[in-house]
Amino acid sequence: MTTPPPPITEPDPSTATCPGDLVGPCATCRRKTHKYGRGGTPLCQWCAAPAMAKWGPTVRVSTRP
């Protein structure tokens, strides 16, 4: 059984390690996440997990090289 994600009002843990100007909304749930710049992804960790489970380990949730 998986743990449910915290409320949307709580940011993704990735925001704690990046500057504020690299934070943006998750493309799915709109939670604050490290979205821009190196290491940024369009999905928070809770929305990325089902996408990776559905598409396999080779899915890229990042739009950056």
Side-chain angles (χ1 to χ4, degrees):
M1 181 179 201
T2 60
T3 305
I8 299 296
T9 55
E10 292 186 28
D12 187 74
S14 65
T15 60
T17 60
C18 73
D21 62 337
L22 299 180
V23 173
C26 169
T28 301
C29 70
R30 312 306 288 170
R31 176 188 313 274
K32 289 182 181 180
T33 189
H34 178 187
K35 186 169 183 173
Y36 306 105
R38 181 176 290 276
T41 65
L43 300 174
C44 70
Q45 70 179 17
W46 293 280
C47 293
M52 290 173 25
K54 179 180 178 181
W55 297 100
T58 59
V59 69
R60 290 186 55 172
V61 294
S62 176
T63 58
R64 286 117 187 128

